């Protein structure tokens, strides 16, 4: 499979979905909270990174899972794997208060896409090739709101500065 990385044309394509998402009021699609919305805006201000999916996660008795899936340009790939990911894993797996892990995702067909479905208005549902790009999904599981907020601020800082 060919490696497909973020470039200026793809950045514009994915930003259209993000801009629609900022305006969407449907509960399922709405960004979890204003804090996360501002973080995602800052991350997306970097032309070399584009968020695809995110979840802040509700706080529950057993904790909750936060995640961010993002695409990136080839020229920042080494920084992501040599600096960003090891830093996050070390920081958020240091003790038993949180668990951080990631998945590298190669380009693949969009499982959300259905040929017969009426157009929904988001490319992440309407475009069969939406996930035909390399991406990373970083997860954090914790019951501690302070840790979760720090995780998102760290992600913002690191991804914005790539």
């Amino acid at each position: 499979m060919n490696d497909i990385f973020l470039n200026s044309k793809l950045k514009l394509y994915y930003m259209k979905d993000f801009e629609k998402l900022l305006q969407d009021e449907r509960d399922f699609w709405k960004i979890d909270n204003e804090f996360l919305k501002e973080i995602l805006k800052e991350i997306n201000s970097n032309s070399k990174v584009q968020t695809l999916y995110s979840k802040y996660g509700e706080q529950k008795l057993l904790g909750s899972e936060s995640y961010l899936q993002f695409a990136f340009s080839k020229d920042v790939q080494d920084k992501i794997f040599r600096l960003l990911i090891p830093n996050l894993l070390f920081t958020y797996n240091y003790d038993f208060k949180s668990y951080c892990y990631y998945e590298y995702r190669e380009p693949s067909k969009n499982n959300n896409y259905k040929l017969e479905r009426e157009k929904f208005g988001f490319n992440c549902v309407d475009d069969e090739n939406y996930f035909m790009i390399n991406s990373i999904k970083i997860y954090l599981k914790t019951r501690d709101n302070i840790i979760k907020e720090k995780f998102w601020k760290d992600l913002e800082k690191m991804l914005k500065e790539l």
Side-chain angles (χ1 to χ4, degrees), residues 70 78-89 138 154-155 158-159 162:
F70 62 94
D78 285 347
K79 287 181 183 177
I80 291 169
F81 284 103
R82 291 180 182 164
L83 298 172
L84 185 141
I85 290 174
N87 187 330
L88 288 172
L89 295 179
I138 299 176
D154 285 349
L155 270 176
M158 287 186 241
L159 289 172
L162 280 177

Side-chain angles (χ1 to χ4, degrees), residues 20 29 37 39 49 56 59 62 73 83 90 95 98 106 109 112 119 136-137 140 144 154:
K20 285 182 190 177
W29 292 98
K37 189 182 281 190
I39 297 278
V49 178
Y56 188 81
Q59 206 56 33
L62 299 175
S73 63
L83 298 172
F90 176 78
D95 56 28
S98 62
E106 294 182 330
K109 291 289 181 187
N112 299 321
K119 293 291 183 188
I136 294 173
K137 194 168 186 180
L140 177 75
D144 189 322
D154 285 349

Side-chain angles (χ1 to χ4, degrees), residues 13-14 107-115 119 122-133:
Y13 169 78
Y14 289 107
S108 63
K109 291 289 181 187
N110 184 354
N111 292 330
N112 299 321
Y113 174 79
K114 303 289 184 258
L115 182 61
K119 293 291 183 188
F122 286 116
N123 289 321
C124 62
V125 175
D126 296 340
D127 185 347
E128 181 179 15
N129 295 314
Y130 186 80
F131 291 105
M132 293 301 285
I133 191 165

